[in-house]
Amino acid sequence: MRIISGKYKSRKIVAPKNLPVRPTTDMAKESLFNILNNLYYLDDISVLDLFAGTGNISYEFASRGTEQIIAVDQDFGCIKFINQTAESFEMPIQTIKSDVFKFLEKSTIKSNVIFADPPYSFTNEQFAKIPNLVFSNNLLLDDGLLIIEHSKHTDLSSISNFSYSKSYGGNMFSFFEIA
C-alpha cells in the first residue's frame, strides 16, 4: 500500500502478510479523500478509524495534516503494526486495541469523521450495528460523517441516517449523517 497525498506522498508501507486485513485500494482511497477534501480542512478535524487493520486510512489522514486520529482494531498484530508505522513516520495516531462494538458502546469520543472498514462478510445486521451505536451514543460532531466501506454487493441504504453511497470498483462507501 502507498500513501496517496500529503507530507508522505508516494511512501510505500509494507504490512506483514499474517495480518487479517483487506486494505482499501488506492483508487477507492483517492476517491474517498477527494470527497473529504471538498468537505473539510483535514488539518482541522478529528478522525476515528474503526476496524483499522493496517492503518491505511489513518496514515492517509495523518499525511494530509490531521492531528487527532484514533485507530481501533481488536487484532494485536494490527495495533502493533500501526504503532510501529506511526512512530517511524512521526504520525499522531493513537491506537486502541478493542472489539469495535464494545468500544462504540462505551466511547464518549466525538469526531468529525468516523471511518469503518469492517469485514465484507458482515451481515446487514452487523453493518447496521455500527451506525446505530455511533448515532445512539452521539459520537459524531454536528458536521460529522460516518463512512462505512463495504462490498458493492451490500446495500446499506435502508439503515437510519444513511445519506448516500459511492462505488469504486468492487468497493463501496456508504455515508451517514446526523438527521
Side-chain angles (χ1 to χ4, degrees), residues 16 22 30 43 66-67 77 99 109 113 121 132 165:
R22 172 201 30 77
E30 187 166 8
D43 54 353
T66 306
E67 294 194 13
D99 173 84
I109 300 166
V113 174
S121 61
N132 291 344
S165 61

Side-chain angles (χ1 to χ4, degrees), residues 58-129:
S58 290
Y59 307 142
E60 197 68 45
F61 275 108
S63 182
R64 295 165 188 249
T66 306
E67 294 194 13
Q68 295 179 44
I69 305 165
I70 299 173
V72 180
D73 201 284
Q74 71 178 3
D75 185 85
F76 176 76
C78 290
I79 293 298
K80 182 179 175 187
F81 179 71
I82 294 169
N83 284 334
Q84 289 170 340
T85 305
E87 186 178 321
S88 71
F89 286 105
E90 298 179 356
M91 292 177 168
I93 299 171
Q94 176 189 346
T95 58
I96 297 175
K97 183 190 174 303
S98 175
D99 173 84
V100 168
F101 295 117
K102 289 179 183 171
F103 172 81
L104 290 174
E105 287 169 2
K106 296 177 182 174
S107 181
T108 57
I109 300 166
K110 290 184 174 241
S111 300
N112 300 96
V113 174
I114 299 176
F115 180 83
D117 186 7
Y120 277 19
S121 61
F122 265 23
T123 63
N124 274 15
E125 292 75 26
Q126 289 171 304
F127 278 112
K129 194 172 179 183

Side-chain angles (χ1 to χ4, degrees), residues 146-175:
L146 165 64
I147 305 158
I148 300 178
E149 181 176 347
H150 55 91
S151 162
K152 68 178 181 180
H153 303 292
T154 302
D155 181 6
L156 304 183
S157 63
S158 64
I159 298 173
S160 294
N161 297 91
F162 175 84
S163 183
Y164 62 96
S165 61
K166 297 278 187 178
S167 180
Y168 304 99
N171 300 21
M172 184 166 262
F173 297 112
S174 287
F175 296 80

